[in-house]
Amino acid sequence: MSGHPVQLKQINLTVSKDQIRAALEVIHDVRSPNQIRQEASEYLEKVKLDDEAPHHGYTIAADQSQPPVVRHFGLSLLEQSIRHRWNEYTLEQSTTLREWELRLAQNLTDQDPSYLRNKIASIWVDVAKRSWALDWMDMDECLTRLWDGPLASKELVLAVLETLSEDVFGHEDLIAGLRSSDLSRACFEIFTPMTVLQDHYSSRGTNINVRYGDEGWLSRMGDLLEWCISQEGTHATGQACAVKILVTLRSVIGWAAPQSLSATRMTLRSCQALRSSHLPIQLAAVDTLHILSSRTKLSEGDLKELVAPMFMTDTIDLLQKLYDWSCVDATDIDEEKYLLLKKLSELVFNVGGLLVDHSTLVPIDSSFSVFLRLLINIAKNHSLQVSVCAMHAWVKILSSEALVSSPPVASSVGELLEVCSQRVIKYEALPEHHPDPSVIFLNEDFDSMPERHAFLGNYMRFCKMITERIVQQSPADALFHILSSAEQVISHLYDGEPAFGMHSYSRTSMPFLKMDAQCSILEAGLKGSVRWLGPGGHEQEVMLQNLKVWCERILGLNFEDPSVKERVIQLAVGFATGPLKKDARFVLKIFDYILDTNYPDDARYPSYSEAVKDLQSLCIHELQRLAMKFPDYLITIFDEVEHKVSRVSHAVTRDNGVRNRYHSVLFIITHRATSVNPQPRQERLEAFLQPLVAQWQSSELTESLSSFNMFCELLGCGGIQQYVSKRALHEMSDWSATPLDDEGKALQMHMQHALEKLPLRATKAFLSVSVEKLEPNSTAHELAGRLWEKMIPMILPNLLHMIRQAHAFHDAVNWKGLPPEMSGIVRRILTDRFWQVGISVGSRDEFYAKVGDTKNTVEGLASSIRATVRAVRETGYKLLCYMGLLGEHFYSYKELPQPLSAALFTEAHALSTHQMAMLVETIRPVIENCPVASRSHFLPPILAGLFEQLDRKASDEWDKIEQKNRFSEGRASLDEEMRDESVLRQLTYTSVMLVVGLLDPSKPNPPDAKLTNGATPNGLQHVEHGNVRSFILATPEILKPLILFCTHAIRMRDTRSCSFITRVLGSLVPEFETAGEIDTEVREFLSTEVLKACITSLHDSYFVDLQKDLAQLIASIMIIYTPRTKTPRQILLSLPSIPAEKVDQAIQQLYKAHQNTRQQRAIVLDLLESLRGVSISEQGRISKSDPRKIRSAIQQSYMSVDMQEDGKVKEKSPDLGGIADMFGRP
């Protein structure tokens, strides 16, 4: 607008077109003073509230002389009245509103801007949702008469049909939900051709008469689409109309009767639209075909009619040409064409899925070969997001018995193997600016690293699955190809690369990445060969011999890079445990090869030194793996193995923990070999464990655990408080920049030695190999149970004291050696540093390099303190988990539950959020593995203590986050808040998923131990129960803290967790509708506290995406409980601005809609409309997302990482002033 800001007359209720126009000019003029603009806004708001607003709106909108922006405001007045005051109008008034709307639609011209047309269509649908098939019966006739008008009228009709379809069938629309049955029925009537209704739905009863004409809207739209495509070159307006038709069809095709789609040749017509040279038409056609090919629950006949056109050779050729045209260069990406390319790959994936699921419907002929060629081309695309759909489709095809043996598939496997070999490289390890086109596309497609990592993990999984299935189908040819390619790469690892040097070692060097890729493909091929192996034969013997020779040749090569050596060892063990597992000599050769692996350590090069330690750890792990897999091979040369293991363990390390891991290999062989006499075996195994038990039972250890100060001395931390005070660490701002003095370095070394002396790591080494990878009730498992049953009572007392003291270490109250002003430093010392994907600055490698660089600083000392306490705490948790795998040999101790609960949870409040999450995650198996016979005495104190602490911790931390959000300052503060909030989400989600697991009604019980005369090892009688859900619901001691936690979780600002909790609570509501004492108490709690929490969250705009879930839980409570208690009704009556008659009406409507959950939600949301929160996009605070950046469901499925709030617009907390006393009124 031009000119000086227009001065308004004094604002009052006088309404005129000129005054409205002047107010709009003021608002849109950037030069308008704020006060004048505010006055103009206030005036327009008063106009909206005026009783004559609908009439003013119609008069203004119908005046063609007014500017479009003024007419649009007039339409807004009409819309406001229809949406918010419809129920206040009489039938005569509502009819008048409808007639005004029809006149506006009839008077629309081609010159009117599209936003006016869309607004009129939206108002039309608002009226239709409220009165169509009720007192407005000729709507279809009105639409049809408009359809016979100019192109602008046709586009208006299409907008009405699309919006109506979306609101009735697609969106969770509140008004449409209230009349979902009537509206869906009416839509079905007007879209379906009359011939289809007569032939297939003649028995369908109907009391409505809403249809006009025999064609139906599917037929009308199809005919017009065909005309638009044929006239595309001569009518530019026809292109826009064709797009609008396809967009409308996209919203209808998902629910329309399949016979209607067949009768109107919708598949063929949509395919023909692909021939268009107009990109928007191509996009819309691909979208439509994608929805069509996604239809489920179709009969064989319907599928044949709908799918057959997609497999015509002409159609596939058309898809190939469209693919070739839409391919883009990574260095010059045309976003529109790239979007088409991604959508096209998704469509081809859907078509491939139809082919696999219904292969009998499509003849395997030349068109099948052409389709596979298209799939190969898409798989080769440099964009992995385009390629992934084809790779997934190939997995499905190669898994289909009907298709995998066909000649067209067989002729494609060579190219597929080549693609897989090239694409299993770890793209996430390549530099961001690497010139590889795939890396450039990844940078374009993914803004967040978590999604990128998850996507690449899925892509690599598809590559491996394809390789595995190809080898399984034709092992000789496929393995020859894989082995030849791998040998070529391995022989030229350093071509074009600098020679290996310790000083330049990198875990992401190109030689390592190439080796890792080849090993990944080889491992997948080995899995496939194992699937193929049969009882024997010459071909099989030749293949196994070739594999053996190839592997031995690789083992003879020299690899200086310890990371490359890791992959060689892993691959060799894959050969030994896979296709060559029956070759005892080869297995023993691999065992010796690993034992002989020894790389020199050099502390001058920290990265290389760390890699050597990793290699040593991997060697021990692979030795344990071979010992578990082949104990009967190794027992035959046990003396030789024992001698060599002892020699190697003493030669390569002075660390007793590492030596114990080496000796655990001997323990595994002795434990799991089947040819050893029982008595000597028992004695030898006990000999391994006796030194450990002696350490646990020592009086020195018991005394050291009797007080906090002595526990600190035990860990080598006794001088820490004095050192912290003396150095005044609380006055240092940057610990990483402050060098550590000799006293500090001595403290570090003392803690390291003290930790090594504890029996924790050795016990973990032997206990873990006693239970890992053993079937419950197997001979080896029973032997482990009998062996450790004697040891556990000797270990547990001091282990539990150790865990409790480790928790107490985090409580500043116990650091009595510090002056009061330094108490805050305890949290700083004990706050874990960890790399948080998507939150932390820099890469994981950069983070660990930074941690390594601070080893000799004050921060390094704090890190050593944290590491020492963390090792005690988390190793203790793991020991409990391993003991839990022993079944009744652990759980049946009557004295265990209370001390265990006290050790785990009494001091747990002092743990950080991250540490609490680790506690929950690690202790979860101990809960889930509890046998049925031990539930009644074991689970109540454990679960009660756990949920009390979780409720306390999570609630307190969310309150702190809310406080920080109100007073955050600066970028550093924001980064810290995002990290804290991300970790708190992890704790919340971990806790919620524990609840979900415990209350899952389909979850089976853990296997029972073998019992004698119905008794457990310690004499507890076996008691039959249902699953753990039924046990918890019948145990108030557990149920009360669990439901309290769930109630508070509804208000925790994590939408993923809140969504799960509402569903869990919804599943509990029907469980407490009877008259029992527990049922009554829980029912009243759900009817008050849970209902209040749901309403409060419903009011909070943060939870706007969860309103559907919250409404469903509220509806369940009202439907099931109001016949038995007045409490839900009283809670609703206590809300402001909701009269009793409206509450009672909603309750009656809910009773009638007891089978229609969508209608239930709509009733609740309508009842609470005045209290519902509004999303920030609806408030106009953020713009809508770029549609090109919105990912489809298929794309989203390849990114399984849930990242909430990444890069979010930071919101203030909602104003809950009205909620604070919302429930206060009687």
Side-chain angles (χ1 to χ4, degrees):
M1 296 183 182
S2 59
H4 296 288
V6 179
Q7 293 292 326
L8 290 175
K9 300 174 185 177
Q10 183 166 345
I11 293 176
N12 51 44
L13 291 182
T14 303
V15 178
S16 72
K17 296 176 187 177
D18 291 340
Q19 200 160 8
I20 289 174
R21 180 173 179 173
L24 289 170
E25 286 180 353
V26 167
I27 290 172
H28 289 285
D29 194 327
V30 295
R31 295 167 299 173
S32 298
N34 287 338
Q35 183 179 355
I36 300 297
R37 180 180 285 111
Q38 185 176 354
E39 289 178 0
S41 298
E42 291 174 354
Y43 169 74
L44 294 179
E45 287 301 315
K46 289 181 180 180
V47 170
K48 289 180 182 180
L49 298 175
D50 188 66
D51 288 342
E52 294 297 318
H55 180 262
H56 298 317
Y58 168 69
T59 305
I60 294 170
D63 187 351
Q64 299 279 356
S65 66
Q66 293 295 329
V69 67
V70 176
R71 293 174 62 199
H72 187 272
F73 178 76
L75 292 173
S76 298
L77 294 179
L78 205 55
E79 180 183 59
Q80 174 95 356
S81 302
I82 292 168
R83 289 188 173 182
H84 300 289
R85 302 185 65 180
W86 183 266
N87 293 333
E88 300 174 15
Y89 297 138
T90 65
L91 178 61
E92 182 181 1
Q93 289 173 320
S94 61
T95 303
T96 301
L97 286 174
R98 185 169 70 234
E99 289 173 352
W100 288 344
E101 164 57 26
L102 290 175
R103 288 178 202 161
L104 291 171
Q106 291 162 355
N107 294 329
L108 199 66
T109 67
D110 290 341
Q111 288 71 42
D112 287 326
S114 59
Y115 62 82
L116 283 183
R117 181 167 56 248
N118 293 336
K119 191 71 167 180
I120 291 173
S122 175
I123 295 172
W124 183 303
V125 174
D126 282 336
V127 174
K129 288 186 294 188
R130 291 163 173 82
S131 64
W132 181 41
L134 193 64
D135 54 59
W136 184 14
M137 306 305 291
D138 65 343
M139 185 189 83
D140 196 36
E141 180 180 354
C142 297
L143 288 172
T144 306
R145 296 193 186 284
L146 279 174
W147 184 259
D148 294 334
L151 212 53
S153 296
K154 288 182 172 63
E155 291 187 9
L156 172 66
V157 172
L158 290 169
V160 169
L161 295 175
E162 180 197 357
T163 307
L164 184 63
S165 172
E166 288 291 343
D167 285 355
V168 174
F169 294 99
H171 302 149
E172 190 79 11
D173 184 81
L174 171 60
I175 302 301
L178 291 170
R179 301 186 58 230
S180 59
S181 179
D182 291 341
L183 291 175
S184 60
R185 200 170 185 177
C187 284
F188 186 87
E189 293 275 348
I190 68 170
F191 277 93
T192 308
M194 180 60 76
T195 54
V196 174
L197 286 175
Q198 292 172 343
D199 293 344
H200 300 279
Y201 300 94
S202 57
S203 61
R204 187 171 181 262
T206 177
N207 294 321
I208 57 177
N209 183 23
V210 296
R211 183 186 184 85
Y212 182 79
D214 293 340
E215 302 97 326
W217 285 107
L218 276 174
S219 181
R220 294 187 187 105
M221 288 191 291
D223 291 342
L224 183 60
L225 175 64
E226 199 167 328
W227 181 85
C228 288
I229 297 299
S230 68
Q231 301 294 314
E232 180 191 349
T234 57
H235 289 79
T237 52
Q239 293 177 347
C241 189
V243 172
K244 189 63 182 175
I245 294 169
L246 287 165
V247 169
T248 305
L249 284 173
R250 182 181 62 193
S251 72
V252 174
I253 267 178
W255 58 263
Q259 299 89 346
S260 301
L261 301 177
S262 300
T264 55
R265 300 182 294 119
M266 205 53 69
T267 305
L268 189 59
R269 282 168 160 170
S270 299
C271 289
Q272 290 300 318
L274 295 175
R275 297 185 182 278
S276 169
S277 59
H278 189 51
L279 184 57
I281 293 179
Q282 295 168 339
L283 276 167
V286 169
D287 276 341
T288 302
L289 288 169
H290 183 273
I291 298 294
L292 183 62
S293 60
S294 301
R295 287 284 298 257
T296 58
K297 299 179 181 178
L298 298 176
S299 69
E300 294 289 299
D302 292 333
L303 276 168
K304 191 167 187 177
E305 290 289 331
L306 295 177
V307 172
M310 296 188 190
F311 284 99
M312 294 167 58
T313 303
D314 287 348
T315 303
I316 299 173
D317 285 338
L318 185 58
L319 291 173
Q320 178 66 65
K321 290 176 183 176
L322 189 59
Y323 168 76
D324 293 338
W325 177 82
S326 59
C327 283
V328 295
D329 189 325
T331 59
D332 184 22
I333 299 175
D334 182 322
E335 291 190 0
E336 294 293 335
K337 289 176 70 174
Y338 188 41
L339 177 62
L340 173 62
L341 185 64
K342 288 188 280 191
K343 288 179 176 291
L344 184 61
S345 73
E346 295 175 17
L347 170 61
V348 172
F349 166 74
N350 271 9
V351 174
L354 289 170
L355 176 67
V356 171
D357 296 337
H358 308 282
S359 56
T360 57
L361 299 178
V362 182
I364 299 179
D365 54 12
S366 58
S367 65
F368 180 53
S369 300
V370 177
F371 178 73
L372 293 186
R373 170 49 45 191
L374 174 60
L375 267 185
I376 286 287
N377 291 338
I378 296 176
K380 289 180 177 179
N381 195 283
H382 289 302
S383 168
L384 300 189
Q385 199 169 57
V386 172
S387 170
V388 70
C389 293
M391 299 296 279
H392 193 179
W394 272 112
V395 171
K396 287 174 169 281
I397 290 170
L398 293 169
S399 303
S400 168
E401 293 183 6
L403 300 177
V404 70
S405 301
S406 65
V409 172
S411 64
S412 305
V413 296
E415 288 181 273
L416 262 182
L417 280 176
E418 195 64 34
V419 173
C420 293
S421 298
Q422 295 169 355
R423 296 286 173 82
V424 290
I425 194 166
K426 291 183 176 177
Y427 286 97
E428 61 267 40
L430 296 176
E432 183 178 354
H433 301 294
H434 195 279
D436 188 318
S438 293
V439 176
I440 299 173
F441 277 117
L442 284 169
N443 293 335
E444 168 72 16
D445 290 330
F446 298 98
D447 296 324
S448 81
M449 291 305 291
E451 289 181 341
R452 180 170 173 165
H453 288 167
F455 170 81
L456 289 172
N458 283 320
Y459 192 94
M460 181 174 287
R461 181 167 60 89
F462 291 145
C463 290
K464 292 177 180 178
M465 292 170 73
I466 289 170
T467 304
E468 182 180 336
R469 281 159 175 74
I470 290 175
V471 173
Q472 180 183 354
Q473 187 64 25
S474 52
D477 294 338
L479 282 174
F480 176 78
H481 178 90
I482 293 171
L483 294 175
S484 300
S485 299
E487 189 163 5
Q488 180 71 14
V489 172
I490 293 171
S491 301
H492 299 86
L493 271 182
Y494 287 90
D495 287 5
E497 300 288 337
F500 177 80
M502 295 183 187
H503 64 285
S504 59
Y505 166 81
S506 171
R507 182 79 181 184
T508 58
S509 67
M510 280 309 300
F512 169 73
L513 293 178
K514 289 191 287 186
M515 185 69 181
D516 177 71
Q518 294 305 313
C519 289
S520 295
I521 285 293
L522 279 163
E523 288 162 347
L526 293 177
K527 287 183 179 179
S529 69
V530 171
R531 288 173 174 266
W532 172 80
L533 288 175
H538 177 70
E539 183 184 1
Q540 184 170 304
E541 290 177 6
V542 171
M543 187 193 78
L544 294 178
Q545 182 62 29
N546 290 338
L547 288 176
K548 180 178 178 181
V549 169
W550 189 93
C551 184
E552 289 176 340
R553 188 159 62 248
I554 297 301
L555 294 181
L557 300 177
N558 180 41
F559 301 100
E560 295 180 273
D561 188 330
S563 297
V564 172
K565 187 73 167 185
E566 273 189 38
R567 293 302 279 124
V568 172
I569 288 174
Q570 289 173 318
L571 180 62
V573 173
F575 275 89
T577 58
L580 299 176
K581 61 185 176 184
K582 294 183 179 179
D583 191 333
R585 287 189 176 182
F586 182 78
V587 170
L588 296 177
K589 183 171 185 176
I590 301 301
F591 192 88
D592 283 342
Y593 178 81
I594 298 174
L595 273 176
D596 290 337
T597 297
N598 183 22
Y599 275 52
D601 197 353
D602 194 328
R604 293 177 301 170
Y605 310 111
S607 297
Y608 172 81
S609 176
E610 194 64 31
V612 170
K613 291 182 174 66
D614 290 342
L615 173 61
Q616 183 184 71
S617 180
L618 176 102
C619 286
I620 298 173
H621 173 76
E622 297 298 347
L623 289 172
Q624 291 175 335
R625 187 178 164 196
L626 290 172
M628 290 178 183
K629 187 79 174 178
F630 307 108
D632 290 325
Y633 289 172
L634 295 167
I635 198 68
T636 59
I637 54 169
F638 184 81
D639 292 341
E640 179 184 342
V641 171
E642 183 177 29
H643 172 74
K644 193 164 188 177
V645 167
S646 298
R647 177 177 59 79
V648 169
S649 67
H650 284 81
V652 300
T653 182
R654 295 180 180 178
D655 188 332
N656 285 329
V658 176
R659 288 178 179 174
N660 280 319
R661 290 189 65 203
Y662 271 109
H663 290 146
S664 70
V665 175
L666 304 176
F667 181 92
I668 294 169
I669 299 170
T670 306
H671 174 211
R672 305 200 184 197
T674 59
S675 58
V676 182
N677 292 329
Q679 189 58 36
R681 185 212 306 266
Q682 186 81 12
E683 292 173 358
R684 178 172 285 185
L685 292 174
E686 288 179 357
F688 279 108
L689 303 182
Q690 284 301 336
L692 296 177
V693 174
Q695 278 187 278
W696 281 108
Q697 286 194 298
S698 69
S699 57
E700 293 85 353
L701 180 62
T702 304
E703 186 176 357
S704 296
L705 296 171
S706 62
S707 70
F708 179 76
N709 288 336
M710 296 188 71
F711 173 72
C712 293
E713 294 290 344
L714 178 68
L715 298 189
C717 300
I720 291 297
Q721 296 185 52
Q722 181 181 356
Y723 180 82
V724 167
S725 180
K726 183 172 68 176
R727 289 289 308 270
L729 298 191
H730 63 295
E731 297 177 359
M732 299 179 185
S733 59
D734 187 358
W735 288 356
S736 299
T738 307
L740 196 59
D741 57 17
D742 291 340
E743 184 182 358
K745 292 178 181 178
L747 281 171
Q748 273 184 323
M749 192 64 65
H750 187 42
M751 283 187 286
Q752 182 180 340
H753 291 325
L755 184 61
E756 289 176 1
K757 291 179 182 178
L758 295 178
L760 284 166
R761 284 201 295 169
T763 308
K764 179 184 173 184
F766 286 103
L767 186 52
S768 63
V769 299
S770 299
V771 294
E772 284 182 343
K773 298 183 179 178
L774 285 180
E775 290 294 326
N777 301 328
S778 64
T779 302
H781 187 268
E782 286 299 306
L783 175 59
R786 292 194 300 272
L787 177 68
W788 285 97
E789 185 180 9
K790 304 174 184 177
M791 314 292 180
I792 287 175
M794 305 176 192
I795 295 173
L796 271 176
N798 279 338
L799 173 62
L800 297 183
H801 283 130
M802 197 175 287
I803 293 173
R804 183 166 182 171
Q805 293 288 16
H807 288 180
F809 197 90
H810 292 266
D811 194 339
V813 173
N814 295 318
W815 291 52
K816 301 186 183 300
L818 294 179
E821 65 270 15
M822 293 186 68
S823 60
I825 204 171
V826 176
R827 185 176 184 274
R828 184 177 174 186
I829 292 173
L830 296 177
T831 298
D832 287 326
R833 287 188 298 176
F834 54 90
W835 186 77
Q836 179 71 34
V837 65
I839 300 295
S840 300
V841 177
S843 67
R844 185 193 300 267
D845 291 336
E846 291 170 341
F847 169 78
Y848 284 113
K850 183 178 179 181
V851 171
D853 292 342
T854 62
K855 181 178 180 181
N856 294 320
T857 66
V858 172
E859 179 57 43
L861 175 64
S863 183
S864 296
I865 298 170
R866 291 193 292 269
T868 301
V869 181
R870 182 170 60 247
V872 173
R873 191 178 64 244
E874 295 184 0
T875 306
Y877 301 161
K878 290 300 293 183
L879 290 179
L880 293 173
C881 288
Y882 292 136
M883 290 178 185
L885 292 175
L886 294 170
E888 292 289 2
H889 299 284
F890 169 70
Y891 290 97
S892 59
Y893 291 107
K894 296 179 180 179
E895 301 82 6
L896 172 63
Q898 291 293 349
L900 177 59
S901 179
L904 291 173
F905 308 124
T906 301
E907 309 287 344
H909 64 276
L911 298 176
S912 70
T913 306
H914 175 65
Q915 291 154 358
M916 180 67 90
M918 292 300 298
L919 170 60
V920 176
E921 192 63 46
T922 315
I923 218 67
R924 179 175 177 170
V926 177
I927 296 167
E928 293 179 339
N929 290 330
C930 179
V932 174
S934 298
R935 278 181 188 159
S936 57
H937 87 283
F938 183 84
L939 287 183
I942 302 298
L943 289 177
L946 173 60
F947 282 110
E948 286 169 4
Q949 286 297 331
L950 284 179
D951 188 31
R952 173 183 176 183
K953 186 69 179 180
S955 298
D956 288 350
E957 292 299 325
W958 278 113
D959 288 344
K960 291 177 184 177
I961 289 288
E962 287 298 298
Q963 291 295 322
K964 286 183 180 179
N965 285 346
R966 291 192 181 100
F967 304 106
S968 61
E969 296 180 3
R971 174 70 195 177
S973 176
L974 179 59
D975 287 343
E976 182 182 347
E977 288 170 25
M978 290 181 68
R979 278 196 301 272
D980 291 346
E981 194 165 334
S982 176
V983 175
L984 183 52
R985 290 185 193 285
Q986 291 176 8
L987 171 62
T988 307
Y989 182 69
T990 300
S991 306
V992 165
M993 293 315 293
L994 174 63
V995 174
V996 172
L998 290 172
L999 297 180
D1000 181 359
S1002 63
K1003 189 169 186 175
N1005 290 322
D1008 283 329
K1010 291 181 180 177
L1011 303 173
T1012 304
N1013 298 325
T1016 61
N1018 274 0
L1020 288 173
Q1021 292 301 308
H1022 180 76
V1023 180
E1024 289 295 333
H1025 285 289
N1027 60 14
V1028 70
R1029 172 189 171 98
S1030 59
F1031 172 76
I1032 290 174
L1033 297 185
T1035 310
E1037 183 182 350
I1038 303 173
L1039 184 61
K1040 291 179 180 180
L1042 186 150
I1043 289 185
L1044 187 61
F1045 167 76
C1046 291
T1047 304
H1048 293 156
I1050 294 174
R1051 294 290 302 129
M1052 295 175 188
R1053 297 169 74 82
D1054 179 62
T1055 53
R1056 180 175 58 168
S1057 299
C1058 184
S1059 178
F1060 277 113
I1061 280 298
T1062 55
R1063 281 177 258 172
V1064 167
L1065 287 169
S1067 76
L1068 295 184
V1069 170
E1071 301 280 354
F1072 302 100
E1073 58 177 326
T1074 58
E1077 183 179 346
I1078 296 177
D1079 291 38
T1080 301
E1081 184 178 354
V1082 174
R1083 183 167 60 244
E1084 289 301 310
F1085 184 87
L1086 293 173
S1087 298
T1088 51
E1089 301 306 319
V1090 172
L1091 188 56
K1092 286 181 180 181
C1094 287
I1095 295 170
T1096 306
S1097 288
L1098 199 68
H1099 177 75
D1100 189 340
S1101 61
Y1102 178 87
F1103 295 97
V1104 68
D1105 292 333
L1106 289 176
Q1107 289 184 357
K1108 180 173 71 173
D1109 298 327
L1110 293 164
Q1112 190 61 62
L1113 178 53
I1114 294 171
S1116 298
I1117 292 173
M1118 293 171 67
I1119 292 171
I1120 296 174
Y1121 289 168
T1122 48
R1124 295 164 178 81
T1125 174
K1126 296 180 180 179
T1127 305
R1129 181 177 181 274
Q1130 291 170 346
I1131 294 296
L1132 293 171
L1133 289 176
S1134 71
L1135 297 171
S1137 305
I1138 300 182
E1141 57 272 17
K1142 189 174 182 180
V1143 172
D1144 293 335
Q1145 181 184 15
I1147 292 172
Q1148 293 304 314
Q1149 290 174 332
L1150 285 170
Y1151 290 158
K1152 295 176 183 177
H1154 67 282
Q1155 296 295 332
N1156 189 330
T1157 55
R1158 182 185 177 187
Q1159 198 167 4
Q1160 291 171 16
R1161 294 191 293 270
I1163 293 166
V1164 170
L1165 293 175
D1166 181 54
L1167 174 66
L1168 302 175
E1169 175 68 22
S1170 62
L1171 300 176
R1172 288 201 296 137
V1174 181
S1175 66
I1176 55 177
S1177 60
E1178 289 180 84
Q1179 296 169 13
R1181 289 163 57 188
I1182 60 172
S1183 58
K1184 291 186 178 180
S1185 302
D1186 184 346
R1188 292 171 299 188
K1189 295 293 185 180
I1190 297 174
R1191 293 196 174 96
S1192 66
I1194 292 179
Q1195 291 173 342
Q1196 202 64 44
S1197 70
Y1198 298 129
M1199 293 169 282
S1200 55
V1201 175
D1202 289 285
M1203 270 301 287
Q1204 269 190 287
E1205 315 300 324
D1206 187 22
K1208 69 173 184 176
V1209 177
K1210 195 167 180 59
E1211 301 180 61
K1212 295 180 180 178
S1213 297
D1215 179 9
L1216 298 181
I1219 285 290
D1221 60 349
M1222 180 185 285
F1223 305 102
R1225 294 192 298 114

